[in-house]
Protein backbone atom coordinates (compact mmCIF):
# COMPACT_ATOMS: atom_id res chain seq x y z
CA UNK A 1 0.00 0.00 0.00
CA UNK A 2 1.50 3.34 -1.00
CA UNK A 3 1.98 5.85 1.80
CA UNK A 4 0.95 9.49 2.04
CA UNK A 5 2.56 11.50 -0.75
CA UNK A 6 3.23 15.19 -0.43
CA UNK A 7 4.48 17.43 -3.20
CA UNK A 8 6.66 19.30 -3.58
CA UNK A 9 9.19 18.31 -0.93
CA UNK A 10 10.86 21.71 -0.84
CA UNK A 11 9.75 25.21 -1.77
CA UNK A 12 11.31 28.63 -1.55
CA UNK A 13 8.95 31.57 -1.90
CA UNK A 14 9.16 35.33 -1.47
CA UNK A 15 7.14 37.30 1.06
CA UNK A 16 3.78 38.29 -0.37
CA UNK A 17 3.56 35.39 -2.78
CA UNK A 18 1.14 32.51 -2.46
CA UNK A 19 1.82 28.79 -2.43
CA UNK A 20 -0.14 25.59 -3.00
CA UNK A 21 0.88 22.28 -1.45
CA UNK A 22 -0.52 18.90 -2.41
CA UNK A 23 -1.27 15.71 -0.50
CA UNK A 24 -2.30 12.33 -1.88
CA UNK A 25 -3.68 10.08 0.86
CA UNK A 26 -3.31 6.39 1.39
CA UNK A 27 -5.78 4.56 -0.83
CA UNK A 28 -9.14 4.30 0.93
CA UNK A 29 -8.44 7.05 3.43
CA UNK A 30 -11.01 9.81 3.20
CA UNK A 31 -9.81 12.05 6.02
CA UNK A 32 -6.92 14.41 5.31
CA UNK A 33 -5.50 16.75 7.94
CA UNK A 34 -2.81 19.38 7.65
CA UNK A 35 -0.29 20.37 10.31
CA UNK A 36 2.37 23.03 10.54
CA UNK A 37 5.62 22.12 12.30
CA UNK A 38 8.05 24.76 13.50
CA UNK A 39 10.84 24.62 16.11
CA UNK A 40 9.08 27.23 18.22
CA UNK A 41 5.46 26.10 18.09
CA UNK A 42 5.84 22.38 17.46
CA UNK A 43 3.13 20.54 15.57
CA UNK A 44 -0.03 22.58 15.16
CA UNK A 45 -3.27 21.50 13.54
CA UNK A 46 -4.38 23.55 10.55
CA UNK A 47 -7.53 21.85 9.28
CA UNK A 48 -9.13 18.56 8.35
CA UNK A 49 -11.11 17.55 5.30
CA UNK A 50 -13.41 14.58 4.95
CA UNK A 51 -15.39 13.80 1.82
CA UNK A 52 -14.54 17.19 0.33
CA UNK A 53 -15.83 19.10 3.38
CA UNK A 54 -13.81 20.92 5.98
CA UNK A 55 -14.63 19.16 9.22
CA UNK A 56 -12.35 20.88 11.67
CA UNK A 57 -10.18 23.97 11.73
CA UNK A 58 -7.29 25.12 13.88
CA UNK A 59 -6.36 28.63 14.98
CA UNK A 60 -4.69 29.94 11.87
CA UNK A 61 -5.50 33.11 9.92
CA UNK A 62 -7.68 33.03 6.85
CA UNK A 63 -4.57 33.18 4.64
CA UNK A 64 -4.38 29.44 5.21
CA UNK A 65 -6.99 27.53 3.28
CA UNK A 66 -7.50 24.08 1.87
CA UNK A 67 -9.69 21.89 -0.21
CA UNK A 68 -10.25 18.25 -0.95
CA UNK A 69 -11.13 16.64 -4.23
CA UNK A 70 -13.47 13.74 -4.95
CA UNK A 71 -10.50 11.33 -5.08
CA UNK A 72 -9.58 12.46 -1.51
CA UNK A 73 -6.46 14.29 -2.66
CA UNK A 74 -6.08 17.56 -0.80
CA UNK A 75 -4.38 20.87 -1.36
CA UNK A 76 -3.58 23.64 1.03
CA UNK A 77 -2.96 27.21 0.01
CA UNK A 78 -1.21 29.99 1.83
CA UNK A 79 -1.67 33.47 0.45
CA UNK A 80 0.34 36.61 1.13
CA UNK A 81 3.23 34.66 2.59
CA UNK A 82 5.01 35.97 5.66
CA UNK A 83 8.48 35.07 6.94
CA UNK A 84 6.83 33.32 9.89
CA UNK A 85 5.11 30.88 7.53
CA UNK A 86 8.43 29.12 7.01
CA UNK A 87 7.80 25.64 8.33
CA UNK A 88 7.42 21.97 7.56
CA UNK A 89 3.85 21.38 6.41
CA UNK A 90 2.64 17.88 7.09
CA UNK A 91 -0.35 16.07 5.76
CA UNK A 92 -1.88 13.16 7.66
CA UNK A 93 -4.50 10.73 6.43
CA UNK A 94 -6.62 8.60 8.64
CA UNK A 95 -8.34 5.28 8.25
CA UNK A 96 -10.36 3.86 11.15
CA UNK A 97 -8.32 5.46 13.91
CA UNK A 98 -4.64 5.72 13.09
CA UNK A 99 -3.22 8.78 11.37
CA UNK A 100 -0.31 8.40 8.98
CA UNK A 101 1.88 11.30 7.96
CA UNK A 102 3.60 12.16 4.73
CA UNK A 103 7.21 13.35 4.50
CA UNK A 104 6.11 16.95 4.52
CA UNK A 105 6.79 20.00 2.38
CA UNK A 106 9.55 22.26 3.65
CA UNK A 107 8.48 25.83 2.87
CA UNK A 108 11.01 28.62 3.21
CA UNK A 109 9.80 32.21 2.86
CA UNK A 110 12.51 34.76 2.08
CA UNK B 1 -7.84 22.25 28.14
CA UNK B 2 -6.43 21.19 24.82
CA UNK B 3 -2.81 20.96 25.94
CA UNK B 4 -0.65 17.89 26.12
CA UNK B 5 2.44 18.42 28.26
CA UNK B 6 5.50 16.33 27.44
CA UNK B 7 8.75 15.82 29.32
CA UNK B 8 11.68 15.73 29.23
CA UNK B 9 12.61 18.00 26.34
CA UNK B 10 15.72 15.93 25.67
CA UNK B 11 17.16 12.67 26.90
CA UNK B 12 20.49 10.90 26.53
CA UNK B 13 20.76 7.21 27.39
CA UNK B 14 23.33 4.53 26.78
CA UNK B 15 22.69 1.63 24.45
CA UNK B 16 20.56 -0.95 26.24
CA UNK B 17 19.04 1.63 28.60
CA UNK B 18 15.32 2.28 29.02
CA UNK B 19 14.38 5.87 28.18
CA UNK B 20 11.03 6.97 29.56
CA UNK B 21 9.06 9.87 28.12
CA UNK B 22 6.07 11.26 30.00
CA UNK B 23 2.96 13.07 28.88
CA UNK B 24 0.03 14.59 30.72
CA UNK B 25 -3.28 15.82 29.36
CA UNK B 26 -6.18 17.84 30.65
CA UNK B 27 -9.07 17.18 28.33
CA UNK B 28 -11.05 14.19 29.57
CA UNK B 29 -12.70 13.90 26.15
CA UNK B 30 -9.43 12.55 24.72
CA UNK B 31 -9.79 8.84 24.08
CA UNK B 32 -6.91 7.88 21.83
CA UNK B 33 -3.23 8.43 22.61
CA UNK B 34 -0.64 7.71 19.90
CA UNK B 35 3.12 8.12 19.99
CA UNK B 36 5.06 9.22 16.95
CA UNK B 37 8.75 8.94 16.08
CA UNK B 38 10.32 11.50 13.81
CA UNK B 39 13.74 11.44 12.17
CA UNK B 40 15.28 14.62 10.73
CA UNK B 41 13.78 15.50 7.38
CA UNK B 42 10.99 12.95 7.71
CA UNK B 43 7.36 13.05 8.71
CA UNK B 44 6.25 11.60 12.06
CA UNK B 45 5.76 7.83 11.98
CA UNK B 46 3.18 6.13 14.18
CA UNK B 47 4.89 3.93 16.76
CA UNK B 48 2.21 2.69 19.11
CA UNK B 49 -1.13 3.91 20.46
CA UNK B 50 -3.40 3.22 23.39
CA UNK B 51 -6.98 3.81 24.47
CA UNK B 52 -7.86 4.61 28.10
CA UNK B 53 -9.58 1.28 28.72
CA UNK B 54 -6.20 -0.45 29.09
CA UNK B 55 -3.32 0.47 31.39
CA UNK B 56 -0.48 -0.89 29.30
CA UNK B 57 0.26 -1.82 25.71
CA UNK B 58 3.41 -3.38 24.36
CA UNK B 59 4.61 -3.62 20.77
CA UNK B 60 8.10 -4.96 20.32
CA UNK B 61 10.49 -2.86 22.40
CA UNK B 62 7.95 -0.05 22.86
CA UNK B 63 5.53 0.05 25.80
CA UNK B 64 2.88 2.61 26.68
CA UNK B 65 1.75 2.91 30.28
CA UNK B 66 -1.52 4.73 30.85
CA UNK B 67 -2.91 6.16 34.10
CA UNK B 68 -6.43 7.37 33.48
CA UNK B 69 -7.04 8.81 36.94
CA UNK B 70 -3.85 10.87 36.79
CA UNK B 71 -4.39 11.74 33.11
CA UNK B 72 -0.86 10.69 32.32
CA UNK B 73 0.76 8.30 29.90
CA UNK B 74 4.32 7.38 29.14
CA UNK B 75 6.48 5.65 26.55
CA UNK B 76 9.20 3.19 27.55
CA UNK B 77 11.76 1.97 25.03
CA UNK B 78 13.32 -1.32 26.10
CA UNK B 79 16.90 -2.19 25.16
CA UNK B 80 17.34 1.13 23.37
CA UNK B 81 19.58 1.22 20.30
CA UNK B 82 21.45 4.04 18.53
CA UNK B 83 18.89 3.71 15.70
CA UNK B 84 16.20 4.82 18.16
CA UNK B 85 17.79 8.28 18.28
CA UNK B 86 14.99 10.53 17.08
CA UNK B 87 12.38 12.97 18.32
CA UNK B 88 9.33 11.41 19.98
CA UNK B 89 5.95 13.05 20.18
CA UNK B 90 2.98 12.04 22.26
CA UNK B 91 -0.43 13.06 21.03
CA UNK B 92 -4.06 12.86 22.02
CA UNK B 93 -7.36 13.06 20.23
CA UNK B 94 -11.04 12.71 20.96
CA UNK B 95 -14.11 12.42 18.76
CA UNK B 96 -12.70 15.09 16.49
CA UNK B 97 -9.86 13.63 14.54
CA UNK B 98 -7.40 16.44 15.11
CA UNK B 99 -4.32 15.42 17.02
CA UNK B 100 -3.04 17.57 19.86
CA UNK B 101 0.70 17.02 20.14
CA UNK B 102 3.16 17.30 22.97
CA UNK B 103 6.22 19.45 22.43
CA UNK B 104 8.50 16.52 21.62
CA UNK B 105 11.45 14.76 23.25
CA UNK B 106 14.77 14.53 21.48
CA UNK B 107 16.29 11.16 22.35
CA UNK B 108 19.94 10.31 21.83
CA UNK B 109 21.12 6.75 22.41
CA UNK B 110 24.89 6.54 22.76
CA UNK B 111 27.11 3.50 22.29
Amino acid sequence: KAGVTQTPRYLIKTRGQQVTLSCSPISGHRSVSWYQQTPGQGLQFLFEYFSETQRNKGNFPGRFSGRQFSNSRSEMNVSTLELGDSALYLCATRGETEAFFGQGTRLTVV
Amino acid sequence: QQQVKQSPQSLIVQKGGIPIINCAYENTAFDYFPWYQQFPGKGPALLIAIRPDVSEKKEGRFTISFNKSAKQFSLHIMDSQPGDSATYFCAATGTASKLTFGTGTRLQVTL
Side-chain angles (χ1 to χ4, degrees), chain A residues 11-72:
Chain A
L11 265 179
I12 299 176
K13 289 286 187 179
T14 305
R15 265 184 309 175
Q17 287 186 313
Q18 74 162 15
V19 66
T20 299
L21 313 181
S22 178
C23 172
S24 292
I26 292 171
S27 177
H29 286 192
R30 294 161 63 192
S31 164
V32 176
S33 298
W34 289 88
Y35 292 82
Q36 181 195 64
Q37 186 175 28
T38 59
Q41 299 297 318
L43 281 148
Q44 292 190 291
F45 173 77
L46 279 155
F47 30 65
E48 184 211 2
Y49 285 86
F50 184 88
S51 294
E52 302 179 65
T53 302
Q54 188 180 86
R55 191 160 70 169
N56 209 343
K57 190 176 188 307
N59 295 324
F60 279 81
R63 300 185 297 107
F64 293 81
S65 62
R67 59 177 176 167
Q68 187 179 34
F69 302 94
S70 58
N71 62 357
S72 293

Side-chain angles (χ1 to χ4, degrees), chain B residues 18-84:
Chain B
I18 306 175
I20 300 171
I21 304 169
N22 300 298
C23 286
Y25 64 98
E26 298 170 356
N27 189 344
T28 54
F30 288 150
D31 64 359
Y32 177 72
F33 303 87
W35 284 88
Y36 286 86
Q37 177 190 58
Q38 187 176 29
F39 293 104
K42 304 288 187 182
L46 180 65
L47 261 182
I48 184 172
I50 197 167
R51 290 199 179 275
D53 52 346
V54 297
S55 59
E56 186 176 278
K57 183 174 180 181
K58 190 177 292 189
E59 284 185 6
R61 295 184 295 108
F62 301 95
T63 299
I64 300 178
S65 298
F66 191 88
N67 185 329
K68 187 175 179 179
S69 59
K71 291 188 282 186
Q72 295 174 346
F73 57 111
S74 59
L75 176 71
H76 297 59
I77 305 175
M78 308 301 177
D79 187 28
S80 58
Q81 301 297 314
D84 295 329

